[in-house]
Amino acid sequence: QVQLVESGGGSVQAGGSLRLACAASVSPSRWNCMGWSRQAPGKEREVVARIRPGIGQTWYADSVKGRFTISQDNEKNTLYLQLDNLRPEDTAQYYCAAGHRPSVFACMSDSRLDFLGQGTQVTVSS
């Protein structure tokens, strides 16, 4: 059974940093699309960042480019998201997602993919 377990969320002030982790129960190499999505109260879930496991190619939503960094540790089956220079509008539940998609566009446009974790809360105060 595939499990994605997120950790690392918390409450910080604007300008602060957090590092989220996603531990997968299987090797991420079985997927060609993996990454992070988020959902703020009253809003739809949106894609934040994606990575192609094993290759390391990355993509980011325009709202987080230059502030967030996605990375992977294949030996630990773990995906990370470094969040720097956080803003109040980054407040949301952050989810780890994984799956197969036939194109980069499909990978970046699907906020859920095939497997989705339970999420970790990030709260940024001004």
Side-chain angles (χ1 to χ4, degrees):
Q1 184 179 359
V2 175
Q3 285 188 316
L4 302 173
V5 180
E6 303 94 335
S7 61
S11 297
V12 298
Q13 290 190 326
S17 297
L18 285 171
R19 190 191 193 203
L20 307 183
C22 169
S25 60
V26 297
S27 171
S29 63
R30 66 171 52 192
W31 301 304
N32 69 355
C33 177
M34 195 172 183
W36 296 88
S37 303
R38 68 184 180 186
Q39 187 167 20
K43 295 187 178 182
E44 292 187 356
R45 188 166 52 235
E46 62 177 356
V47 174
V48 174
R50 289 287 185 261
I51 190 168
R52 183 164 289 182
I55 298 177
Q57 192 176 9
T58 60
W59 303 274
Y60 297 91
D62 288 342
S63 59
V64 306
K65 279 181 182 176
R67 301 188 298 120
F68 292 7
T69 305
I70 188 171
S71 62
Q72 59 187 16
D73 185 330
N74 292 329
E75 291 187 1
K76 296 181 179 180
N77 289 353
T78 301
L79 185 72
Y80 300 99
L81 186 67
Q82 178 68 38
L83 292 70
D84 295 318
N85 193 18
L86 282 160
R87 304 168 180 170
E89 54 264 38
D90 295 319
T91 295
Q93 186 83 349
Y94 283 70
Y95 298 90
C96 179
H100 287 95
R101 289 298 180 272
S103 67
V104 172
F105 175 80
C107 180
M108 278 297 293
S109 60
D110 187 341
S111 67
R112 192 188 190 286
L113 298 179
D114 301 323
F115 301 97
L116 193 70
Q118 293 300 306
T120 186
Q121 179 67 33
V122 172
T123 302
V124 185
S125 58
S126 58

